[in-house]
Amino acid sequence: MKKIFLILVLNSYLFSSEFNQAMQEYINELKNQAKSENPSFVDFDAKRGEIIFSTKNKGKNGELISCQSCHNADLTKEATNIFTNKTIAPLAPSVNKNRLSDVKEVKKWLKRNFKDVYLREGSAIEKGDVLYYLIKQ
């Protein structure tokens, strides 16, 4: 019985789709910003995040790109940055525990990647939606 309990606890830890404490504080910060941007805001939505992540736009260098252009549709696999040709480690936290764990890194890459794909910084709602989508991967 103890073994089953330990396996269940370990599985929930290893395959958890929740943010760590620092990231949860960042999510809460984004929620406060989202409420000030849109008073009818209720919560972030992973489905909207997936749409933001997969929708192609005329981005950097005038190319029609989406976030998937560099990260692939399957976020559990390595990918290649289309601008630098560098290998990108899997973005899915389910296979790469370092993803979505460092707020400073997350802020840096959200800012940079929104500018590459959308030619602007993402709103608090857009960032939260994308993070809700990514944490489920």
Side-chain angles (χ1 to χ4, degrees):
M1 189 67 163
K2 280 185 175 180
K3 286 183 180 178
I4 293 172
F5 177 74
L6 287 174
I7 290 170
L8 290 174
V9 169
L10 188 58
N11 271 348
S12 69
Y13 174 75
L14 290 175
F15 301 106
S16 171
S17 62
E18 295 181 8
F19 295 105
N20 66 25
Q21 184 177 349
M23 280 298 297
Q24 188 57 55
E25 289 171 11
Y26 178 53
I27 290 292
N28 293 340
E29 179 184 317
L30 287 173
K31 284 182 179 179
N32 288 334
Q33 290 174 9
K35 286 177 187 168
S36 68
E37 290 173 4
N38 179 356
S40 64
F41 170 80
V42 177
D43 200 358
F44 299 122
D45 182 296
K47 189 65 184 165
R48 286 191 315 245
E50 182 178 15
I51 292 167
I52 292 167
F53 198 84
S54 62
T55 301
K56 288 189 174 186
N57 292 282
K58 192 171 183 179
K60 185 176 177 180
N61 300 337
E63 294 187 41
L64 195 59
I65 59 172
S66 72
C67 302
Q68 291 178 338
S69 299
C70 291
H71 292 285
N72 287 331
D74 182 355
L75 301 178
T76 64
K77 308 285 185 207
E78 281 188 345
T80 303
N81 184 306
I82 61 170
F83 298 110
T84 64
N85 214 26
K86 290 182 180 175
T87 300
I88 300 173
L91 192 53
S94 63
V95 296
N96 185 346
K97 294 295 178 198
N98 292 326
R99 293 297 191 180
L100 306 183
S101 62
D102 182 328
V103 174
K104 186 176 177 183
E105 284 290 307
V106 168
K107 285 181 175 179
K108 177 180 100 176
W109 286 108
L110 279 174
K111 182 177 182 177
R112 187 176 295 179
N113 292 345
F114 261 100
K115 285 186 175 182
D116 283 351
V117 175
Y118 290 94
L119 301 179
R120 61 176 173 75
E121 194 168 336
S123 69
I125 295 172
E126 291 170 324
K127 291 175 185 176
D129 287 345
V130 168
L131 292 173
Y132 266 38
Y133 167 65
L134 294 176
I135 197 69
K136 295 180 181 298
Q137 304 306 304

